[in-house]
Amino acid sequence: MTSSIEDYFRANVENKLFIKVPEQEDHDLTPATRLLEKRREMLEVENGLNQQKEEFAMKMEALKQRSEELARKETQLKESLLKFDKFLKENDAKRNRAIKKAIDERKTRDQKELEIQDLKKQSVQQSVKKDKSGHAVDTYLTYQKFLESVLETTEEFGEVKDIISRFDTLAATNQELIDRAREAQDRTERDRAMLINSTEEKNNLILNYNNDIAKLQTRLEEAQMRSAKCQLEWDQTLKNATSKTLELGQIKMATNNLFSIVKTHLNSKLAMTSDTVIQLDKIQQFMIDLNSISAELTQGQVGVVGGKNSD
């Protein structure tokens, strides 16, 4: 702020000091005159400067007063705002209390209305009970008159309570009979249900047995077929075995005969045996020896014939 004021005064002084006088007039004036002129200009500048200082001081004072006024008004405004805020808070608190009070009163009123409705219902119920009681009293009076008339016409009962006691006994007996009949009916129903269930179970069991019998019959037929097939195979095997046995017997007899012939040719040098394999070995050895002898004889005869021919 101070720097701005100094710049302002400096600019005004420079404007005042640098006022140029025409050159022609400067040549016509003497130095004393020019000095006086400069002093006059300086006085004018100082007067203008003082006047501007006074104006500036007045403006500063006015600004100061304005600033103080604004500060005072700001303070007043803050106080007013605080008071208004306090007023709003108090007003909100009062409004909340009023709303809460209204809600409580509404709840109380609703509760009272519910109580009134309950009391009205109870009153209606009591009225209905009263009417029913009145009708019951009228009915009981009719019954009482009837029972009193019964006492007048019979000597079996001495008082009304005797008739009521007899009625209670008969009613209890009747209820007992009804209960027994109901129990008997329940037992009958249970027995019937058990019989039905048992019949169904037996039928299911018979059906299962029939299915098992059918399966076993099928298995029996299959087993019989397999047995017949096995019997045929056994008969064929037995037939083949018999044929093989007969053939084996014939082979053994032929082998034994050949062995006897070989033994005869060897002048009983062979030991007697019944083992067919040994007999075949001996026969084979005999045949080999016989073939060797036959070959030697054939070669000897060929040599003799050749010698005769050469002679």
Side-chain angles (χ1 to χ4, degrees):
M1 185 71 178
T2 305
S3 177
S4 299
I5 295 171
E6 291 178 355
D7 293 338
Y8 173 76
F9 284 117
R10 186 179 293 108
N12 286 329
V13 171
E14 289 177 353
N15 290 330
K16 294 293 184 179
L17 292 176
F18 289 101
I19 296 174
K20 292 185 178 181
V21 180
E23 294 180 357
Q24 186 177 358
E25 292 180 357
D26 291 340
H27 291 292
D28 294 337
L29 295 177
T30 61
T33 303
R34 285 198 295 272
L35 180 60
L36 291 174
E37 185 65 25
K38 294 295 183 183
R39 286 181 178 178
R40 185 182 61 78
E41 291 177 358
M42 287 294 294
L43 289 174
E44 290 178 356
V45 170
E46 288 179 359
N47 290 331
L49 184 59
N50 291 329
Q51 185 178 359
Q52 289 181 358
K53 285 182 178 180
E54 291 176 357
E55 292 176 357
F56 181 76
M58 291 174 65
K59 289 181 179 180
M60 289 298 295
E61 184 66 23
L63 288 173
K64 182 179 180 182
Q65 292 178 359
R66 180 68 175 172
S67 177
E68 291 176 354
E69 181 68 18
L70 290 175
R72 184 178 59 80
K73 288 183 178 181
E74 183 179 2
T75 302
Q76 292 177 355
L77 182 60
K78 288 181 179 179
E79 292 177 354
S80 299
L81 289 174
L82 291 174
K83 290 180 180 179
F84 184 70
D85 184 62
K86 183 179 180 182
F87 170 75
L88 289 178
K89 290 181 179 179
E90 292 177 353
N91 191 21
D92 289 338
K94 291 179 180 179
R95 184 172 62 84
N96 292 330
R97 287 195 296 270
I99 292 172
K100 185 177 182 300
K101 184 178 180 181
I103 293 172
D104 294 338
E105 290 178 353
R106 187 179 295 110
K107 289 181 179 179
T108 303
R109 185 191 64 189
D110 295 338
Q111 184 66 30
K112 294 298 182 182
E113 289 180 355
L114 291 175
E115 291 177 358
I116 291 171
Q117 294 296 329
D118 291 337
L119 291 174
K120 287 181 179 179
K121 290 180 181 179
Q122 292 178 7
S123 177
V124 172
Q125 292 175 358
Q126 293 297 328
S127 298
V128 173
K129 287 182 179 179
K130 180 180 178 182
D131 294 337
K132 289 182 178 179
S133 298
H135 291 303
V137 169
D138 294 338
T139 303
Y140 292 155
L141 287 174
T142 303
Y143 292 156
Q144 185 176 2
K145 291 178 181 179
F146 173 75
L147 293 175
E148 289 175 353
S149 64
V150 171
L151 288 175
E152 293 176 356
T153 57
T154 182
E155 296 179 355
E156 184 178 357
F157 304 103
E159 296 179 356
V160 174
K161 64 180 181 179
D162 296 334
I163 299 174
I164 295 173
S165 177
R166 180 65 179 276
F167 175 79
D168 292 338
T169 302
L170 293 174
T173 303
N174 184 38
Q175 185 63 40
E176 184 178 358
L177 292 174
I178 292 172
D179 293 337
R180 289 181 180 179
R182 186 179 294 110
E183 291 178 358
Q185 185 177 1
D186 292 339
R187 285 197 300 271
T188 303
E189 293 294 333
R190 288 195 298 271
D191 293 339
R192 183 181 292 109
M194 291 176 63
L195 178 61
I196 292 172
N197 292 331
S198 178
T199 303
E200 290 179 354
E201 291 178 357
K202 296 297 183 182
N203 291 332
N204 293 330
L205 187 61
I206 291 171
L207 181 61
N208 292 330
Y209 285 158
N210 289 331
N211 292 331
D212 293 338
I213 290 171
K215 292 179 180 178
L216 292 173
Q217 185 68 31
T218 302
R219 292 176 61 184
L220 177 61
E221 292 175 356
E222 293 176 354
Q224 289 176 350
M225 292 176 64
R226 288 196 300 271
S227 177
K229 184 178 179 181
C230 291
Q231 185 65 37
L232 291 174
E233 292 177 354
W234 170 252
D235 293 340
Q236 185 64 33
T237 302
L238 185 61
K239 183 178 180 181
N240 293 333
T242 302
S243 177
K244 295 294 184 182
T245 303
L246 179 60
E247 184 178 358
L248 180 61
Q250 292 175 354
I251 292 171
K252 284 184 175 182
M253 289 178 63
T255 303
N256 191 32
N257 292 331
L258 288 174
F259 182 75
S260 297
I261 294 170
V262 171
K263 188 174 182 298
T264 301
H265 282 286
L266 294 178
N267 296 322
S268 300
K269 292 181 179 180
L270 294 176
M272 191 63 187
T273 180
S274 61
D275 190 348
T276 304
V277 176
I278 296 174
Q279 289 178 354
L280 288 173
D281 290 337
K282 298 298 183 180
I283 293 169
Q284 182 181 10
Q285 186 64 39
F286 176 76
M287 293 297 294
I288 292 171
D289 294 340
L290 184 61
N291 288 330
S292 298
I293 294 169
S294 177
E296 291 177 358
L297 291 175
T298 301
Q299 290 178 358
Q301 290 177 358
V302 171
V304 172
V305 172
K308 289 180 178 182
N309 291 330
S310 62
D311 292 337

